[in-house]
């Protein structure tokens, strides 16, 4: 059930509204994160960071700019990009220790299962690492995350016509970067 813009804006001050929003979207956000990271601790931390960012930026949501899910994936994408930049500056050893809360065995098992389940999407994501950022981001949101072109455009803050042009370019890039069967899968969700 989609919320109106004013209902979404209330989540920063209304715990019941936030809880409903969280329950409605946590699985989608968790899958989005699991496709982009391979560590269960990082996946848990980034999922939490996405919802903290949602609380801080709920007042910026404009229904006219796109769907809630597109807006939420835009936030998740920014959180993941920030994490990648952070880890690039730190040593691997410090990155594995810093800022993690302890997870119990059940938490780790669930996150490992989710990461395993999203391994195909992660392989596509990794195969596209040489594709230009704007084109890759659009293709990820459409082919891997299942957004429409319009929703993906909203998540990236671009016009739908720009997204369609980038999608055309992405088709060429995917054909060059992935085996034929993976490329066919990438285009089946347009």
């Amino acid at each position: 059930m989609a919320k109106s813009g004013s209902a979404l804006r209330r989540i920063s001050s209304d715990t019941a509204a936030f809880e409903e929003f969280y329950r409605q979207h946590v699985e989608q956000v968790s899958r989005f994160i699991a496709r982009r990271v391979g560590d269960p601790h990082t996946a848990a931390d980034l999922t939490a960071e996405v919802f903290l960012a949602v609380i801080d930026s709920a007042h910026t949501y404009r229904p006219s700019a796109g769907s809630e899910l597109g807006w939420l994936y835009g936030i998740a994408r920014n959180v993941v990009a920030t994490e990648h930049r952070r880890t690039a500056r730190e040593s691997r050893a410090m990155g594995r220790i810093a800022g993690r809360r302890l997870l119990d065995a059940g938490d780790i098992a669930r996150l490992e299962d989710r990461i395993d389940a999203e391994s195909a999407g992660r392989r596509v994501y990794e195969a596209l690492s040489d594709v230009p950022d704007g084109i890759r981001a659009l293709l990820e949101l459409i082919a891997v995350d299942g957004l429409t072109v319009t929703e993906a455009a909203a998540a990236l803050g671009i016009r739908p016509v720009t997204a369609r042009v980038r999608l055309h370019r992405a088709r060429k890039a995917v054909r060059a970067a992935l085996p034929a069967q993976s490329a066919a899968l990438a285009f089946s969700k347009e």
Side-chain angles (χ1 to χ4, degrees), residues 131-175:
V131 175
D133 288 343
I135 294 172
R136 186 182 69 239
L138 177 70
L139 188 59
E140 289 170 8
L141 290 169
I142 293 170
V144 178
D145 297 313
L147 293 182
T148 66
V149 173
T150 303
E151 291 170 332
L156 295 172
I158 61 175
R159 296 178 309 152
V161 71
T162 303
R164 285 182 184 84
V165 170
R166 286 185 184 174
L167 183 60
H168 175 73
R169 291 179 186 152
R171 285 182 172 132
K172 290 179 183 178
V174 167
R175 286 184 187 113

Side-chain angles (χ1 to χ4, degrees), residues 19-185:
E19 182 177 350
E20 180 182 341
F21 181 86
Y22 176 84
R23 288 178 189 273
Q24 182 180 357
H25 296 292
V26 68
E27 288 299 317
Q28 292 163 311
V29 170
S30 183
R31 285 192 305 268
F32 182 97
I33 300 294
R35 283 189 287 270
R36 287 157 175 83
V37 300
D39 176 67
H41 293 281
T42 303
D45 290 346
L46 293 181
T47 300
E49 284 184 40
V50 167
F51 285 100
L52 289 173
V54 163
I55 291 171
D56 290 340
S57 62
H59 67 281
T60 67
Y61 173 69
R62 293 183 333 262
S64 62
S67 72
E68 248 182 36
L69 187 59
W71 175 78
L72 185 58
Y73 277 1
I75 291 172
R77 186 175 177 278
N78 289 337
V79 167
V80 170
T82 299
E83 174 65 11
H84 286 301
R85 286 189 301 270
R86 184 191 69 78
T87 58
R89 289 187 304 260
E90 295 179 0
S91 72
R92 279 193 172 301
M94 291 304 293
R96 291 179 187 220
I97 298 170
R100 297 211 172 121
R101 69 174 179 89
L102 295 178
L103 299 175
D104 66 30
D107 292 334
I108 291 173
R110 282 188 296 281
L111 288 168
E112 286 173 340
D113 288 345
R114 174 146 305 130
I115 288 169
D116 288 343
E118 298 298 338
S119 65
R122 198 167 49 256
R123 279 193 301 274
V124 171
Y125 180 75
E126 291 165 357
L128 295 173
S129 64
D130 293 333
V131 175
D133 288 343
I135 294 172
R136 186 182 69 239
L138 177 70
L139 188 59
E140 289 170 8
L141 290 169
I142 293 170
V144 178
D145 297 313
L147 293 182
T148 66
V149 173
T150 303
E151 291 170 332
L156 295 172
I158 61 175
R159 296 178 309 152
V161 71
T162 303
R164 285 182 184 84
V165 170
R166 286 185 184 174
L167 183 60
H168 175 73
R169 291 179 186 152
R171 285 182 172 132
K172 290 179 183 178
V174 167
R175 286 184 187 113
L178 295 175
Q181 68 189 55
S182 295
L185 283 174

